[in-house]
Amino acid sequence: MTLYAAIWQERIAMPTSEQRLRIYYSKHGFIRYTSNLDLQMIWERALRRAGITLAYSQGFHPQAKIQQASPLPLGLESEEEIVDIWIDKNHTTNPIRKDELNVFLPQGLVVDTLESVDLAEKSLQQRLLASDYRIYSLASPNHDALKDLYKIIDVSESMPFTKHNGKTYDIKPLILTYDLREDSNDSLYLFLSLSNTPQATTRPDHILQFCQYDPAGTLIIRQKIHFTNHD
């Protein structure tokens, strides 16, 4: 075995004391128009200002180890987004508090819960299953638009949609549940539970576009992300 190979083997075998922290947060207001790339930078900056030493990838262009569970499409709000961060082994052992993080986040991003995660756990992307959404109509106070959307979904045996890359796929099998519901303020909304696996995923704005309804006339809120078990 060469000296280089021996050193590399030893490096792989060396134990690590990195920490993996899972952050549950909400995203409301104008921050929903921030791209996921910019959101990644916001998290990196906020964590650094909060005194958290992030772990970085290896190579010529090290990147902070921050991993979004399922990047939210531009313009959507969310009640439960999830991001995993890896904390450097040399970080202080002082506990990380959500209030300290919230001080450094822009308006509209609010940390709700923090939890420590096993380093060996699969990535959230590998365990994605489905996402639940609420769609409110901004252009139709009498809710006719929502009722029409529901009817189109209900009567359509297939819903072919062509993406920007020219590929066409059928949305209908990816709609796991759809219903008209009322929230705690008695406001009507269209509930959608959509497949969000690595192999089969769709978006609520694609469904609106198929129904020839402008997504700009709606407020779309992701309510929850569902995952498979850890196995």
PDB file of all heavy atoms in Angstrom, residues 35-55:
ATOM      1  N   SER A  35     -34.984  33.193  -3.967  1.00  0.00           N
ATOM      2  CA  SER A  35     -34.600  31.921  -4.579  1.00  0.00           C
ATOM      3  C   SER A  35     -33.968  31.003  -3.540  1.00  0.00           C
ATOM      4  O   SER A  35     -33.487  31.447  -2.490  1.00  0.00           O
ATOM      5  CB  SER A  35     -33.615  32.163  -5.715  1.00  0.00           C
ATOM      6  OG  SER A  35     -32.356  32.569  -5.206  1.00  0.00           O
ATOM      7  N   ASN A  36     -33.936  29.715  -3.865  1.00  0.00           N
ATOM      8  CA  ASN A  36     -33.347  28.750  -2.935  1.00  0.00           C
ATOM      9  C   ASN A  36     -31.843  28.946  -2.793  1.00  0.00           C
ATOM     10  O   ASN A  36     -31.276  28.690  -1.727  1.00  0.00           O
ATOM     11  CB  ASN A  36     -33.671  27.323  -3.399  1.00  0.00           C
ATOM     12  CG  ASN A  36     -35.120  26.961  -3.157  1.00  0.00           C
ATOM     13  OD1 ASN A  36     -35.586  26.964  -2.023  1.00  0.00           O
ATOM     14  ND2 ASN A  36     -35.845  26.656  -4.214  1.00  0.00           N
ATOM     15  N   LEU A  37     -31.185  29.411  -3.841  1.00  0.00           N
ATOM     16  CA  LEU A  37     -29.757  29.705  -3.744  1.00  0.00           C
ATOM     17  C   LEU A  37     -29.520  30.842  -2.760  1.00  0.00           C
ATOM     18  O   LEU A  37     -28.616  30.783  -1.918  1.00  0.00           O
ATOM     19  CB  LEU A  37     -29.201  30.065  -5.120  1.00  0.00           C
ATOM     20  CG  LEU A  37     -27.710  30.399  -5.177  1.00  0.00           C
ATOM     21  CD1 LEU A  37     -26.876  29.216  -4.702  1.00  0.00           C
ATOM     22  CD2 LEU A  37     -27.301  30.797  -6.589  1.00  0.00           C
ATOM     23  N   ASP A  38     -30.342  31.887  -2.859  1.00  0.00           N
ATOM     24  CA  ASP A  38     -30.215  33.003  -1.920  1.00  0.00           C
ATOM     25  C   ASP A  38     -30.590  32.573  -0.507  1.00  0.00           C
ATOM     26  O   ASP A  38     -30.004  33.043   0.482  1.00  0.00           O
ATOM     27  CB  ASP A  38     -31.104  34.168  -2.357  1.00  0.00           C
ATOM     28  CG  ASP A  38     -30.568  34.875  -3.588  1.00  0.00           C
ATOM     29  OD1 ASP A  38     -29.354  34.781  -3.836  1.00  0.00           O
ATOM     30  OD2 ASP A  38     -31.362  35.518  -4.311  1.00  0.00           O
ATOM     31  N   LEU A  39     -31.577  31.680  -0.393  1.00  0.00           N
ATOM     32  CA  LEU A  39     -31.976  31.193   0.925  1.00  0.00           C
ATOM     33  C   LEU A  39     -30.833  30.428   1.579  1.00  0.00           C
ATOM     34  O   LEU A  39     -30.606  30.547   2.793  1.00  0.00           O
ATOM     35  CB  LEU A  39     -33.205  30.296   0.797  1.00  0.00           C
ATOM     36  CG  LEU A  39     -33.839  29.818   2.112  1.00  0.00           C
ATOM     37  CD1 LEU A  39     -34.335  30.996   2.934  1.00  0.00           C
ATOM     38  CD2 LEU A  39     -34.980  28.852   1.831  1.00  0.00           C
ATOM     39  N   GLN A  40     -30.100  29.668   0.783  1.00  0.00           N
ATOM     40  CA  GLN A  40     -28.932  28.954   1.296  1.00  0.00           C
ATOM     41  C   GLN A  40     -27.916  29.941   1.870  1.00  0.00           C
ATOM     42  O   GLN A  40     -27.345  29.727   2.941  1.00  0.00           O
ATOM     43  CB  GLN A  40     -28.305  28.140   0.164  1.00  0.00           C
ATOM     44  CG  GLN A  40     -27.294  27.107   0.607  1.00  0.00           C
ATOM     45  CD  GLN A  40     -27.919  25.765   0.905  1.00  0.00           C
ATOM     46  OE1 GLN A  40     -29.133  25.645   1.008  1.00  0.00           O
ATOM     47  NE2 GLN A  40     -27.114  24.752   1.056  1.00  0.00           N
ATOM     48  N   MET A  41     -27.716  31.047   1.174  1.00  0.00           N
ATOM     49  CA  MET A  41     -26.773  32.069   1.634  1.00  0.00           C
ATOM     50  C   MET A  41     -27.293  32.753   2.894  1.00  0.00           C
ATOM     51  O   MET A  41     -26.513  33.102   3.788  1.00  0.00           O
ATOM     52  CB  MET A  41     -26.541  33.088   0.520  1.00  0.00           C
ATOM     53  CG  MET A  41     -25.854  32.508  -0.710  1.00  0.00           C
ATOM     54  SD  MET A  41     -25.768  33.675  -2.098  1.00  0.00           S
ATOM     55  CE  MET A  41     -24.761  34.962  -1.372  1.00  0.00           C
ATOM     56  N   ILE A  42     -28.607  32.955   2.972  1.00  0.00           N
ATOM     57  CA  ILE A  42     -29.202  33.569   4.164  1.00  0.00           C
ATOM     58  C   ILE A  42     -28.953  32.697   5.389  1.00  0.00           C
ATOM     59  O   ILE A  42     -28.567  33.189   6.455  1.00  0.00           O
ATOM     60  CB  ILE A  42     -30.719  33.788   3.955  1.00  0.00           C
ATOM     61  CG1 ILE A  42     -30.954  34.935   2.969  1.00  0.00           C
ATOM     62  CG2 ILE A  42     -31.414  34.079   5.281  1.00  0.00           C
ATOM     63  CD1 ILE A  42     -32.407  35.099   2.557  1.00  0.00           C
ATOM     64  N   TRP A  43     -29.149  31.383   5.231  1.00  0.00           N
ATOM     65  CA  TRP A  43     -28.907  30.477   6.356  1.00  0.00           C
ATOM     66  C   TRP A  43     -27.441  30.500   6.766  1.00  0.00           C
ATOM     67  O   TRP A  43     -27.124  30.570   7.962  1.00  0.00           O
ATOM     68  CB  TRP A  43     -29.331  29.056   5.990  1.00  0.00           C
ATOM     69  CG  TRP A  43     -30.791  28.796   6.178  1.00  0.00           C
ATOM     70  CD1 TRP A  43     -31.721  28.526   5.221  1.00  0.00           C
ATOM     71  CD2 TRP A  43     -31.503  28.809   7.418  1.00  0.00           C
ATOM     72  NE1 TRP A  43     -32.969  28.372   5.781  1.00  0.00           N
ATOM     73  CE2 TRP A  43     -32.861  28.533   7.132  1.00  0.00           C
ATOM     74  CE3 TRP A  43     -31.132  29.025   8.746  1.00  0.00           C
ATOM     75  CZ2 TRP A  43     -33.847  28.467   8.111  1.00  0.00           C
ATOM     76  CZ3 TRP A  43     -32.107  28.961   9.735  1.00  0.00           C
ATOM     77  CH2 TRP A  43     -33.436  28.684   9.426  1.00  0.00           C
ATOM     78  N   GLU A  44     -26.552  30.461   5.798  1.00  0.00           N
ATOM     79  CA  GLU A  44     -25.124  30.451   6.116  1.00  0.00           C
ATOM     80  C   GLU A  44     -24.731  31.723   6.866  1.00  0.00           C
ATOM     81  O   GLU A  44     -24.008  31.680   7.876  1.00  0.00           O
ATOM     82  CB  GLU A  44     -24.310  30.313   4.833  1.00  0.00           C
ATOM     83  CG  GLU A  44     -22.822  30.177   5.074  1.00  0.00           C
ATOM     84  CD  GLU A  44     -22.046  29.905   3.791  1.00  0.00           C
ATOM     85  OE1 GLU A  44     -22.687  29.730   2.730  1.00  0.00           O
ATOM     86  OE2 GLU A  44     -20.801  29.875   3.855  1.00  0.00           O
ATOM     87  N   ARG A  45     -25.233  32.865   6.397  1.00  0.00           N
ATOM     88  CA  ARG A  45     -24.902  34.134   7.037  1.00  0.00           C
ATOM     89  C   ARG A  45     -25.491  34.227   8.442  1.00  0.00           C
ATOM     90  O   ARG A  45     -24.828  34.645   9.389  1.00  0.00           O
ATOM     91  CB  ARG A  45     -25.414  35.284   6.166  1.00  0.00           C
ATOM     92  CG  ARG A  45     -24.968  36.670   6.642  1.00  0.00           C
ATOM     93  CD  ARG A  45     -25.515  37.749   5.736  1.00  0.00           C
ATOM     94  NE  ARG A  45     -25.077  37.570   4.351  1.00  0.00           N
ATOM     95  CZ  ARG A  45     -25.891  37.309   3.345  1.00  0.00           C
ATOM     96  NH1 ARG A  45     -27.194  37.185   3.543  1.00  0.00           N
ATOM     97  NH2 ARG A  45     -25.419  37.165   2.128  1.00  0.00           N
ATOM     98  N   ALA A  46     -26.754  33.810   8.593  1.00  0.00           N
ATOM     99  CA  ALA A  46     -27.425  33.893   9.894  1.00  0.00           C
ATOM    100  C   ALA A  46     -26.759  32.977  10.916  1.00  0.00           C
ATOM    101  O   ALA A  46     -26.559  33.362  12.080  1.00  0.00           O
ATOM    102  CB  ALA A  46     -28.898  33.532   9.741  1.00  0.00           C
ATOM    103  N   LEU A  47     -26.397  31.773  10.493  1.00  0.00           N
ATOM    104  CA  LEU A  47     -25.748  30.828  11.400  1.00  0.00           C
ATOM    105  C   LEU A  47     -24.385  31.337  11.832  1.00  0.00           C
ATOM    106  O   LEU A  47     -23.997  31.223  13.005  1.00  0.00           O
ATOM    107  CB  LEU A  47     -25.623  29.466  10.712  1.00  0.00           C
ATOM    108  CG  LEU A  47     -26.957  28.729  10.467  1.00  0.00           C
ATOM    109  CD1 LEU A  47     -26.776  27.632   9.425  1.00  0.00           C
ATOM    110  CD2 LEU A  47     -27.491  28.142  11.765  1.00  0.00           C
ATOM    111  N   ARG A  48     -23.666  31.940  10.899  1.00  0.00           N
ATOM    112  CA  ARG A  48     -22.355  32.487  11.244  1.00  0.00           C
ATOM    113  C   ARG A  48     -22.497  33.632  12.245  1.00  0.00           C
ATOM    114  O   ARG A  48     -21.737  33.724  13.216  1.00  0.00           O
ATOM    115  CB  ARG A  48     -21.646  32.973   9.971  1.00  0.00           C
ATOM    116  CG  ARG A  48     -20.192  33.367  10.202  1.00  0.00           C
ATOM    117  CD  ARG A  48     -19.564  33.971   8.971  1.00  0.00           C
ATOM    118  NE  ARG A  48     -19.672  33.102   7.811  1.00  0.00           N
ATOM    119  CZ  ARG A  48     -20.326  33.416   6.703  1.00  0.00           C
ATOM    120  NH1 ARG A  48     -20.942  34.591   6.610  1.00  0.00           N
ATOM    121  NH2 ARG A  48     -20.373  32.592   5.689  1.00  0.00           N
ATOM    122  N   ARG A  49     -23.483  34.502  12.008  1.00  0.00           N
ATOM    123  CA  ARG A  49     -23.683  35.635  12.919  1.00  0.00           C
ATOM    124  C   ARG A  49     -24.131  35.175  14.298  1.00  0.00           C
ATOM    125  O   ARG A  49     -23.885  35.850  15.302  1.00  0.00           O
ATOM    126  CB  ARG A  49     -24.700  36.599  12.319  1.00  0.00           C
ATOM    127  CG  ARG A  49     -24.173  37.376  11.119  1.00  0.00           C
ATOM    128  CD  ARG A  49     -25.232  38.259  10.510  1.00  0.00           C
ATOM    129  NE  ARG A  49     -24.701  39.064   9.408  1.00  0.00           N
ATOM    130  CZ  ARG A  49     -25.433  39.847   8.626  1.00  0.00           C
ATOM    131  NH1 ARG A  49     -26.757  39.917   8.820  1.00  0.00           N
ATOM    132  NH2 ARG A  49     -24.872  40.542   7.663  1.00  0.00           N
ATOM    133  N   ALA A  50     -24.799  34.026  14.344  1.00  0.00           N
ATOM    134  CA  ALA A  50     -25.238  33.478  15.630  1.00  0.00           C
ATOM    135  C   ALA A  50     -24.105  32.759  16.360  1.00  0.00           C
ATOM    136  O   ALA A  50     -24.311  32.217  17.448  1.00  0.00           O
ATOM    137  CB  ALA A  50     -26.404  32.519  15.407  1.00  0.00           C
ATOM    138  N   GLY A  51     -22.922  32.769  15.750  1.00  0.00           N
ATOM    139  CA  GLY A  51     -21.762  32.170  16.398  1.00  0.00           C
ATOM    140  C   GLY A  51     -21.641  30.676  16.202  1.00  0.00           C
ATOM    141  O   GLY A  51     -20.908  30.004  16.942  1.00  0.00           O
ATOM    142  N   ILE A  52     -22.328  30.131  15.186  1.00  0.00           N
ATOM    143  CA  ILE A  52     -22.290  28.694  14.917  1.00  0.00           C
ATOM    144  C   ILE A  52     -21.239  28.417  13.845  1.00  0.00           C
ATOM    145  O   ILE A  52     -21.289  28.993  12.756  1.00  0.00           O
ATOM    146  CB  ILE A  52     -23.670  28.188  14.463  1.00  0.00           C
ATOM    147  CG1 ILE A  52     -24.699  28.438  15.574  1.00  0.00           C
ATOM    148  CG2 ILE A  52     -23.614  26.714  14.090  1.00  0.00           C
ATOM    149  CD1 ILE A  52     -26.124  28.184  15.147  1.00  0.00           C
ATOM    150  N   THR A  53     -20.278  27.557  14.152  1.00  0.00           N
ATOM    151  CA  THR A  53     -19.212  27.219  13.219  1.00  0.00           C
ATOM    152  C   THR A  53     -19.663  26.057  12.344  1.00  0.00           C
ATOM    153  O   THR A  53     -19.767  24.919  12.808  1.00  0.00           O
ATOM    154  CB  THR A  53     -17.923  26.833  13.970  1.00  0.00           C
ATOM    155  OG1 THR A  53     -17.588  27.871  14.902  1.00  0.00           O
ATOM    156  CG2 THR A  53     -16.777  26.629  12.997  1.00  0.00           C
ATOM    157  N   LEU A  54     -19.945  26.337  11.091  1.00  0.00           N
ATOM    158  CA  LEU A  54     -20.438  25.319  10.182  1.00  0.00           C
ATOM    159  C   LEU A  54     -19.323  24.418   9.672  1.00  0.00           C
ATOM    160  O   LEU A  54     -18.170  24.845   9.551  1.00  0.00           O
ATOM    161  CB  LEU A  54     -21.126  25.973   8.986  1.00  0.00           C
ATOM    162  CG  LEU A  54     -22.425  26.724   9.274  1.00  0.00           C
ATOM    163  CD1 LEU A  54     -22.864  27.515   8.052  1.00  0.00           C
ATOM    164  CD2 LEU A  54     -23.531  25.754   9.685  1.00  0.00           C
ATOM    165  N   ALA A  55     -19.682  23.170   9.358  1.00  0.00           N
ATOM    166  CA  ALA A  55     -18.753  22.266   8.687  1.00  0.00           C
ATOM    167  C   ALA A  55     -18.826  22.532   7.188  1.00  0.00           C
ATOM    168  O   ALA A  55     -19.878  22.903   6.664  1.00  0.00           O
ATOM    169  CB  ALA A  55     -19.117  20.822   8.995  1.00  0.00           C
TER     170      ALA A  55
END
